[in-house]
Amino acid sequence: RVARPIDATNCAFDSVLLRHGEDDWTWWLDLHHLVTDATSQALVYRLTSLAYEGEEISVASFADVADQQSEAALGADSVEPVLSAPPLRPFGSRGPTTTASTRRSVTIDGLEPAGMMAAVTEAYPSISADLSLAAVCASALACTMQRLDGRSEFRIGLPVGHRAGRLRRELVGPLMELHPIDVVVVDDDTCSSLVQRTLASTLEMLRATRKGPAVRGGDFEMVVNVFRGEFEPFASFPVEVTWHRAGHVDPAHSIRIHAFDYGNDLEVELDVNDALRPDSVPARLDEHVGRVIAALIADPAATIRDLTIATDDDLDAQRALNPSPALPDDGGAIHERIAERLRADPD
């Protein structure tokens, strides 16, 4: 059931009781992103736990908020939207759009998962730890792409929760949207100046989207997701959280970084859409991105031009392509060797 996408033309959720034995059941509940988001999933979990214990629960209606959003969208004609450049095309041409992607785990050398958030916020403090981590991941992705395809300007999508206010914080519904930020890589930048500029672009985007979804939009192919959340015991039962990857994704996005923590320490993963030509995507893209993230955190004062995305395996492969020529044995000064040859063979 995980591998089968919900047919949204018929239903927005999948709910079934699976019987394994007389007193052994699993309740499977799958909510489509059309009707929920990550925060809503945690709310549904908490409310279900309360209901299981016999507690009375009350849920605000999403319909009221949806009506407000519709009115705001209809009245936004006078607001000039922020339009973007044409869609990005990393790594050359793309094949037909696809909902399949290949996911790889990203290792951040020199950092233990349990201490990564603390290291990020120490190097790049901002109004929230999640915001700092999102800026670091977006900057690292842009640096990596600059080295691979030569561009220096990028538009990267970030999720915006739209949950300001008590009502929205407790509302089950699709309040999450993706909006682009601008990331510009300059060789003279330090790691700190790049991440700080990315943070400023993020804050500018957040201020703009407070006015309504119509004032910020545009095309982007790369996405950075940062999400954290802990699930409390379910009706006093201990909980173990695992992210099951269904494999079907939004075909509009070529590359995604996911930095997530469901109470098991921070994990970072990279998605590459299968629409990209297999021969055009670097085999070690996850290692390249991880290497740059580690460099940004380790030394904020370092200059961007001094960063390298190359791994030891990359350098070994380069040396194999251009092996150093074998030097001749030292036979003395070159003019003496020429003289010897002429005496030995005067003709």
Side-chain angles (χ1 to χ4, degrees), residues 69-81:
Q69 289 179 328
S70 297
E71 292 175 3
L74 291 173
D77 294 339
S78 60
V79 179
E80 184 177 352

Side-chain angles (χ1 to χ4, degrees), residues 73-94:
L74 291 173
D77 294 339
S78 60
V79 179
E80 184 177 352
V82 178
L83 301 178
S84 77
L88 304 176
R89 289 291 181 266
F91 309 127
S93 61
R94 286 178 53 171

Side-chain angles (χ1 to χ4, degrees), residues 63-320:
D64 296 337
V65 174
D67 289 341
Q68 294 173 8
Q69 289 179 328
S70 297
E71 292 175 3
L74 291 173
D77 294 339
S78 60
V79 179
E80 184 177 352
V82 178
L83 301 178
S84 77
L88 304 176
R89 289 291 181 266
F91 309 127
S93 61
R94 286 178 53 171
T97 55
T98 177
T99 59
S101 68
T102 301
R103 181 164 295 187
R104 312 170 187 174
S105 179
V106 177
T107 300
I108 315 299
D109 291 333
L111 283 175
E112 293 296 328
M116 183 169 170
M117 286 302 296
V120 168
T121 54
E122 181 180 353
Y124 304 103
S126 68
I127 60 176
S128 79
D130 290 350
L131 197 63
S132 297
L133 181 58
V136 167
C137 289
S139 299
L141 184 56
C143 278
T144 304
M145 294 300 297
Q146 184 220 27
R147 301 301 170 87
L148 293 173
D149 69 11
R151 289 178 296 126
S152 59
E153 299 183 6
F154 304 90
R155 292 177 70 83
I156 298 174
L158 295 183
V160 179
H162 293 306
R163 289 189 174 271
R166 185 187 61 81
L167 171 63
R168 285 174 173 254
R169 281 196 297 271
E170 298 296 319
L171 192 65
V172 175
L175 294 174
M176 185 76 70
E177 294 177 334
L178 283 171
H179 290 277
I181 62 169
D182 297 310
V183 184
V184 180
V185 181
V186 180
D187 282 347
D188 289 336
D189 271 332
T190 63
C191 297
S192 179
S193 62
L194 171 61
V195 175
Q196 294 299 335
R197 191 165 57 245
T198 303
L199 274 169
S201 179
T202 303
L203 291 172
E204 178 188 356
M205 178 270 288
L206 292 173
R207 285 191 292 267
T209 55
R210 280 181 175 270
K211 302 176 183 178
V215 302
R216 186 83 181 191
D219 295 316
F220 52 90
E221 278 201 327
M222 297 185 290
V223 172
V224 171
N225 282 325
V226 174
F227 45 100
R228 294 187 296 155
E230 294 188 15
F231 288 76
E232 298 174 353
F234 186 94
S236 76
F237 293 105
V239 172
E240 180 180 324
V241 181
T242 304
W243 185 11
H244 290 280
R245 294 144 188 89
H248 29 269
V249 295
D250 188 333
H253 309 141
S254 293
I255 301 171
R256 304 167 193 77
I257 290 181
H258 304 282
F260 60 96
D261 182 358
Y262 283 140
N264 305 318
D265 292 335
L266 189 70
E267 298 179 58
V268 181
E269 295 185 343
L270 183 76
D271 266 348
V272 178
N273 197 287
D274 289 350
L276 294 173
R277 297 199 324 267
D279 62 341
S280 67
V281 180
R284 299 188 180 93
L285 183 60
D286 53 310
E287 296 180 46
H288 297 155
V289 173
R291 193 176 182 90
V292 177
I293 291 176
L296 292 178
I297 297 173
D299 188 3
T303 306
I304 294 298
R305 71 159 64 90
D306 295 331
L307 298 185
T308 175
I309 69 170
T311 66
D312 292 340
D313 289 338
D314 290 323
L315 298 177
D316 288 341
Q318 290 177 3
R319 283 189 284 268

